[in-house]
Amino acid sequence: MGLTHARTMTAVALAASILAPAARAQGADGANALAAGQTLYEANCAICHQSSGAGRPPAFPDLRGNDILADPYVLVSKVAQGLGNMPPFPTLTAEEIAALATYVGSAWGNSYGAPTEAEVAEILADFDPPMAPRSIWDGVYTEAQAERGAQVYRAPCGICHGTRLNGAPDDNDMIPGPALARHNFLRIWDGRSLGMLYTYTISTMPQSNPGFLPPEDYAAIIAHMLAVTGAPPGDAELPADAWELGHIQILPAP
Amino acid sequence: MTLEKKIKPGSLDTGPDEGGLSRRDFFTAAGAAGVGAALAAGGGTEAAASPIASSSMEWDYEVDVVIAGGGCAGITAAIRARDAGASVLVVDQNFDLGGRMLHSGSFLSLGGGDAIQLRDMAGEADAEGFITVPPVEDPEELDDSVDLLFTDVTDWSIVDRKAQSPYRYNDRELMRAWAENCPATREFLMANYVRFTRINGTHGGGGLSRARAPYCFLMLGDRTDIRAGTITAEDAGVADPERTSAMAPVQMEDASTFVGPGAVRNGVALARPLEFSAREKGVHFMLNRRFTDLIREQPFEGRILGLRASYSPRIHPESGQRLESFWQNGNVDERRETITIRARKAVILASGGHAGNPEVRAMFYPAMREPAFPTSGMALQGPGGQDASALIAGLRVGANLSGMQQNLSYPTTFHIATRLGTRDAYTDMMPGHPTFAFRGSAGLAVGNVGFEEFIAVNQVGKRFFNEVRLPKRPGANRYPGDGGAPNRGVAHVPNDWRNCRSEWVREMYNYDHGLDAALAMNEGSTAPDYHSGPIWAIFDADAIERTGWELRFPYVNENNGYYFQGDTIESLSRQIYMNHPFQRVPLRYLSQTVETWNGYVADGVDPEFEREVDAPMYAISRPPFYALSIMVVWHDSYGGLRVNGRQQVIDMRGQPIPGLYAGGEAVGGFNKHGLGKGHVHGFIAGTHAAAELG
Ligand SMILES: Cc1cc2nc3c(=O)[nH]c(=O)nc-3n(C[C@H](O)[C@H](O)[C@H](O)COP(=O)(O)OP(=O)(O)OC[C@H]3O[C@@H](n4cnc5c(N)ncnc54)[C@H](O)[C@@H]3O)c2cc1C
């Protein structure tokens, strides 16, 4: 444990000195892709893998010196389709994924290179095409599902996030959690997908025992969060499927 | 409750079945005062409180084991000593039993391979068959042993996010005794009507190597019956979201995920069953009685012979009536001002910590001497709860203290509460419990994110810190790697220096010191105390619109001095100054502060505290304007009397004080939160106290 840690600390120090020259070595297009990739990374990836790339192993792998990045097929398919704790990002275009790959392939001292946009497109062709994107304001859950979610939510989540989902714990001995509804929730998750929220929740919550509820319960809890936030219900339930949920964006109230 | 036998004052010669308590009736108040005065070492006013006994001393009561405090450690010790055949009298300063245990969450960390760990590991239900859900934890997480637990709670290398090490300073003998007695204590509690849910992790900072903590539960039912394990919705405080009961000061919480449908949990499902069992077994209780002094053969020599206690009724502010305990059987109704109680075998000090006594708090953290800030649960406990009585009385007979710095390393010890608009800001309570009157409002729980909605000002009306960062707490221990418990695939090497190397500390340190800013001096602080004064959340009508906060009774109360509303900032300031009990100076800068803040909002930049980096900033401009109190709360106590592994109190020479035991928050050298500590201490103390020759 301690040893691994010592190694990663050195990696951080190295990253600081290497990143700048590496970035400069790119051509003009490369530099644009790098900048675009970094923006995408901060918005979509940093919540788990951290801006430093260090992640939070074992749930969220360290991307520094991570040889998985050397395999374009694994990288692209993981980003597009997700796997385990990794949420799918089915709405990212080949250009965006290529930019992301450029960034993580060269940031923090990495030198893995990256697939081109065309190469990414070729890999994506192996998978189902994306569905039409929607937002949480399009009636994406049912009232009954949200009601069930409220029931499931109460004991394991309310302890820290509160009956009102405002991050005021029901249990006084717990440290307050983030708000899970209304304007604070919308601000923090703005632009992200329900697929990401769903996967993130399963892999981190409840803190003492992540993922112990059945997947349908996690989907129902998210339905409850949307209901309290004021997003309207619809005719179909939120699916307990990260890929499908990956098409539904969290956006400000219209 | 089926036991209704009531012991009346003056008729306490009870048979062995009732506990063998005897009363000596030839007491005279003057006589006792005389004894005290004759032997007082240094001062007239304290004469009646002299800790020394004389050979002519007359006792008002005599019993095998006397216990000061009927909470977590006290009731456990009482039952344990009574089980061994001792007569037991518990004195408690409050009108009812349970102490802080009664309004706890009942999340009870024991371990070492205890019966509940084994049950969940085997995937079994409870014996009564209430539990219908599968275990929450994987079997590997539950695989525990006494040695592992001991290693874990003495792992000096684990630091919290303030870079303090909770275990580095623990007394190893105490930790060993505790680890060894955890499994037996779990079974003891189960044998006294306590029902445990599935295990769900453990306390952060309470030893993290294994999942060790279930909650205590009861099942909702048609009647309240401790033997059957049921409680009515009314008694549980769940029938009405804004009302609780005399049985449950804090409304019980849903436990269905950890038990099955209809299960409710919190300290009520722990404290009431234990109290029920104690009464059933013939433990005697003298409530409304505050223990003040220990009586020893010589000032610093010889046995502890007994204690002195004074009448401490709690009078309801509206009805003027004395508050009465929920159950009565076994109560001794004694109303004389001061009495003495002889302990043939031993005295056990289980009267809690020092968090409610600002003068004693100064021994640990001088800035927390500000009396505006209370301890948790002050309404239920009254001013005598957590008043350091054990520590003070112990010092007077020569006891040593231990772990004086341990208060610094637990995230709940002192922090800024996110429940606003009530003095009792750590706990919640709804109308329906008789002590609600002492708080007047339940408070508005806004969470950390609620602090984005207002500005926080000090007693002169100036901002003093970045509001968004103000309530952040340091968080518990961090294990290198994922920072969580060293389970779930993270290998952890205990006692490895790399666990707390400075690089790791730099990476995870996350304490913002908002608390220290809140306690800092300001222009209203004057000699000799330089008190920091109260702090206030200031906001406007738009904030209510954004948040939906319900500014109405029972959450806030227009008349209790912790919530104000005004059409102008000036009128708001005036009301606070006039009506808040700790507002010593006018908030003379408040109007200017709000005006400056609104300028920052317009510019999108807060040059003083860089709020724009953390969250949106909102103008405070649409009347009415509001003020809610923000409390610094001192919750747990960690330093206290030094004890050994038998819970005997140790003197300044390192020797046990004969006949004196202590446990729970009254003791130090043991940085572990809450109930797990108190019950095991009570279990050990009760065992050894009953075995004294007497
Ligand atoms: C809201 C809240 C939630 C909590 N949740 C949890 C939790 O989920 N898990 C956990 O492990 N811990 C929890 N705790 C902490 C836990 O309740 C306490 O640490 C534990 O009860 C302390 O035990 P104790 O016996 O030392 O004191 P207490 O249980 O407080 O008992 C002390 C008793 O002594 C009495 N007393 C005080 N002074 C005197 C005197 N001079 N003479 C006579 N009697 C006196 C008091 O009235 C009281 O009845 C919580 C605490 C609170 C307030």
Side-chain angles (χ1 to χ4, degrees):
Chain A
M1 190 69 260
L3 275 176
T4 322
H5 187 64
R7 207 182 59 229
T8 56
M9 291 309 302
T10 325
V12 174
L14 282 176
S17 56
I18 288 175
L19 180 60
R24 228 178 289 128
Q26 312 271 340
D29 275 4
N32 284 343
L34 199 68
Q38 181 166 12
T39 308
L40 283 164
Y41 179 87
E42 290 299 333
N44 295 297
C45 318
I47 182 174
C48 298
H49 294 288
Q50 319 284 314
S51 296
S52 67
R56 270 195 284 142
F60 306 131
D62 190 341
L63 298 181
R64 302 166 303 179
N66 189 328
D67 289 342
I68 282 184
L69 301 176
D71 183 335
Y73 195 90
V74 175
L75 174 64
V76 173
S77 62
K78 272 202 153 195
V79 171
Q81 302 293 302
L83 186 70
N85 289 341
M86 175 79 180
F89 294 89
T91 59
L92 288 182
T93 62
E95 185 187 357
E96 287 169 326
I97 294 179
L100 248 181
T102 307
Y103 177 68
V104 298
S106 63
W108 322 298
N110 287 347
S111 52
Y112 291 111
T116 63
E117 184 184 336
E119 285 163 347
V120 173
E122 207 182 308
I123 298 170
L124 288 181
D126 282 358
F127 305 117
D128 289 340
M131 302 159 57
R134 289 184 293 162
S135 95
I136 58 166
W137 304 98
D138 295 334
V140 294
Y141 66 93
T142 68
E143 228 170 296
Q145 187 184 26
E147 271 162 33
R148 204 175 67 74
Q151 297 288 321
V152 187
Y153 170 91
R154 209 179 293 147
C157 320
I159 290 176
C160 298
H161 297 279
T163 311
R164 292 160 191 249
L165 289 78
N166 64 349
D170 287 348
D171 191 310
N172 295 298
D173 246 16
M174 303 312 274
I175 289 180
L180 300 184
R182 307 186 194 85
H183 69 298
N184 314 78
F185 164 73
L186 290 175
R187 175 162 56 76
I188 290 161
W189 285 86
D190 187 28
R192 294 175 169 152
S193 78
L194 288 187
M196 199 169 153
L197 176 63
Y198 172 77
T199 320
Y200 183 77
T201 308
I202 291 181
S203 46
T204 59
M205 292 290 134
Q207 250 174 5
S208 62
N209 197 9
F212 90 94
L213 295 166
E216 296 71 34
D217 285 359
Y218 284 96
I221 288 166
I222 292 177
H224 175 50
M225 291 161 58
L226 297 180
V228 176
T229 299
D235 302 330
E237 291 205 340
L238 270 184
D241 180 304
W243 187 79
E244 281 186 46
L245 291 173
H247 297 82
I248 307 174
Q249 270 206 310
I250 301 166
L251 296 175
Chain B
M1 188 69 191
T2 48
L3 296 176
E4 280 306 329
K5 186 170 182 309
K6 192 164 179 175
I7 297 178
K8 295 192 183 69
S11 62
L12 294 177
D13 267 319
T14 53
D17 277 348
E18 284 86 36
L21 186 73
S22 73
R23 166 147 180 217
R24 302 201 171 166
D25 251 333
F26 34 88
F27 168 89
T28 65
V35 169
L39 295 167
T45 53
E46 291 283 291
S50 163
I52 311 162
S54 79
S55 51
S56 62
M57 174 117 190
E58 294 298 345
W59 300 88
D60 298 304
Y61 292 85
E62 192 174 309
V63 68
D64 289 339
V65 177
V66 184
I67 302 177
C72 174
I75 295 190
T76 308
I79 299 175
R80 182 71 182 156
R82 184 78 193 112
D83 281 348
S87 60
V88 181
L89 175 65
V90 176
V91 297
D92 199 297
Q93 59 84 28
N94 205 3
F95 73 101
D96 204 358
L97 291 162
R100 288 143 62 76
M101 165 174 65
L102 180 60
H103 53 170
S104 76
S106 79
F107 192 47
L108 211 167
S109 295
L110 293 171
D114 71 42
I116 299 299
Q117 287 178 312
L118 295 176
R119 181 195 73 190
D120 278 14
M121 210 156 88
E124 287 163 3
D126 55 326
E128 293 165 302
F130 288 133
I131 298 188
T132 52
V133 298
V136 168
E137 299 284 349
D138 296 335
E140 311 87 80
E141 313 291 334
L142 298 160
D143 183 14
D144 200 2
S145 71
V146 168
D147 282 329
L148 185 80
L149 185 56
F150 180 53
T151 305
D152 185 41
V153 293
T154 50
D155 184 349
W156 63 270
S157 67
I158 296 305
V159 290
D160 64 20
R161 286 180 246 195
K162 229 159 125 188
Q164 300 271 343
S165 167
Y167 303 147
R168 197 168 282 169
Y169 315 106
N170 273 337
D171 183 310
R172 292 80 201 263
E173 186 191 353
L174 295 194
M175 302 322 289
R176 184 73 209 183
W178 179 77
E180 283 178 0
N181 282 280
C182 273
T185 302
R186 182 75 81 190
E187 277 174 53
F188 167 87
L189 295 171
M190 292 165 72
N192 286 282
Y193 302 121
V194 178
R195 283 125 177 136
F196 292 106
T197 69
R198 291 294 185 206
I199 286 178
N200 179 35
T202 191
H203 280 104
L208 289 170
S209 71
R210 284 299 180 273
R212 308 190 276 104
Y215 305 96
C216 305
F217 74 92
L218 289 167
M219 302 301 291
L220 291 176
D222 298 338
R223 65 203 172 98
T224 297
D225 183 338
I226 297 295
R227 286 202 192 91
T230 59
I231 187 167
T232 64
E234 287 71 26
D235 279 345
V238 301
D240 177 340
E242 292 179 9
R243 193 161 181 83
T244 193
S245 73
M247 186 174 181
V250 179
Q251 295 168 300
M252 295 185 79
E253 289 168 43
D254 185 304
S256 52
T257 316
F258 310 113
V259 179
V264 286
R265 61 119 181 149
N266 75 6
V268 176
L270 171 64
R272 293 302 186 190
L274 286 182
E275 176 190 346
F276 180 87
S277 185
R279 290 182 184 276
E280 195 176 52
K281 288 177 170 173
V283 173
H284 290 287
F285 295 100
M286 197 180 280
L287 300 175
N288 307 299
R289 176 115 342 234
R290 183 171 178 276
F291 128 83
T292 51
D293 273 293
L294 292 162
I295 300 169
R296 193 173 184 180
E297 285 175 317
Q298 295 297 320
F300 299 115
E301 299 288 344
R303 281 192 79 78
I304 295 295
L305 301 175
L307 54 75
R308 193 175 278 109
S310 58
Y311 187 45
S312 58
R314 296 195 66 195
I315 306 297
H316 192 278
E318 284 139 32
S319 72
Q321 300 286 306
R322 191 181 89 153
L323 300 185
E324 302 298 339
S325 59
F326 184 69
W327 286 323
Q328 313 267 319
N329 56 310
N331 283 3
V332 178
D333 193 3
E334 168 59 78
R335 301 190 185 214
R336 276 175 295 176
E337 185 50 37
T338 302
I339 58 156
T340 55
I341 305 167
R342 167 136 193 244
R344 281 184 290 249
K345 289 172 181 285
V347 169
I348 301 175
L349 299 179
S351 55
H354 49 263
N357 185 331
E359 292 302 323
V360 173
R361 288 192 318 220
M363 290 168 73
F364 302 89
Y365 186 5
M368 272 301 285
R369 203 166 58 79
E370 166 58 89
F373 301 130
T375 182
S376 48
M378 39 89 35
L380 178 63
Q381 294 264 284
Q386 306 296 303
D387 67 349
S389 42
L391 186 153
I392 295 167
L395 283 177
R396 290 167 63 92
V397 297
N400 201 343
L401 302 179
S402 181
M404 300 297 281
Q405 85 290 43
Q406 288 182 318
N407 281 312
L408 298 175
S409 59
Y410 199 77
T412 60
T413 308
F414 26 76
H415 61 272
I416 294 192
T418 59
R419 185 185 309 276
L420 311 179
T422 177
R423 180 141 198 261
D424 203 1
Y426 192 88
T427 46
D428 49 1
M429 183 194 280
M430 286 288 164
H433 191 271
T435 63
F436 183 85
F438 295 105
R439 61 192 287 154
S441 53
L444 193 72
V446 304
N448 283 5
V449 290
F451 280 59
E452 296 173 7
E453 310 291 344
F454 52 73
I455 59 168
V457 300
N458 62 19
Q459 62 180 346
V460 290
K462 281 193 171 174
R463 290 176 67 216
F464 57 92
F465 205 74
N466 176 325
E467 288 81 358
V468 178
R469 292 165 181 244
L470 187 54
K472 281 197 185 150
R473 300 196 216 160
N477 304 338
R478 295 278 287 179
Y479 289 75
D482 75 341
N487 41 26
R488 302 198 178 284
V490 179
H492 169 64
V493 183
N495 304 312
D496 185 322
W497 68 278
R498 282 164 286 230
N499 295 331
C500 54
R501 63 193 296 157
S502 57
E503 288 90 342
W504 168 242
V505 170
R506 262 180 231 128
E507 196 174 318
M508 60 99 197
Y509 191 97
N510 79 340
Y511 191 48
D512 275 323
H513 298 277
L515 173 82
D516 303 302
L519 297 174
M521 281 190 299
N522 51 57
E523 287 158 66
S525 310
T526 53
D529 294 315
Y530 297 101
H531 283 316
S532 49
I535 49 183
W536 297 99
I538 306 291
F539 52 94
D540 69 352
D542 284 335
I544 307 294
E545 212 147 277
R546 284 194 301 275
T547 59
W549 289 346
E550 292 180 80
L551 291 178
R552 60 171 175 85
F553 189 82
Y555 304 105
V556 297
N557 184 332
E558 311 233 333
N559 303 314
N560 72 343
Y562 291 81
Y563 161 67
F564 299 98
Q565 191 197 114
D567 288 334
T568 61
I569 295 289
E570 290 70 26
S571 104
L572 196 64
S573 308
R574 208 163 35 246
Q575 291 182 62
I576 298 173
Y577 181 48
M578 302 288 289
N579 299 316
H580 182 68
F582 294 94
Q583 183 66 42
R584 305 174 183 94
V585 294
L587 294 91
R588 63 176 187 277
Y589 295 103
L590 186 59
S591 303
Q592 193 187 317
T593 300
V594 170
E595 201 174 305
T596 309
W597 167 254
N598 288 341
Y600 295 164
V601 175
D603 297 344
V605 182
D606 167 17
E608 289 177 84
F609 301 106
E610 302 175 20
R611 264 281 299 271
E612 72 281 2
V613 178
D614 293 304
M617 313 199 307
Y618 306 105
I620 301 171
S621 52
R622 187 156 74 87
F625 301 101
Y626 302 94
L628 286 172
S629 63
I630 304 175
M631 285 293 143
V632 177
V633 174
W634 187 317
H635 178 45
D636 291 74
S637 302
Y638 288 104
L641 294 171
R642 182 174 158 207
V643 293
N644 64 13
R646 297 160 73 91
Q647 302 301 135
Q648 290 174 290
V649 177
I650 302 299
D651 71 13
M652 298 285 181
R653 289 163 301 196
Q655 299 303 313
I657 297 177
L660 187 61
Y661 295 80
E665 292 192 39
V667 311
F670 193 116
N671 189 316
K672 196 200 160 298
H673 174 62
L675 304 167
K677 169 168 69 180
H679 287 303
V680 176
H681 284 181
F683 181 81
I684 299 173
T687 308
H688 294 299
E692 294 255 354
L693 288 179

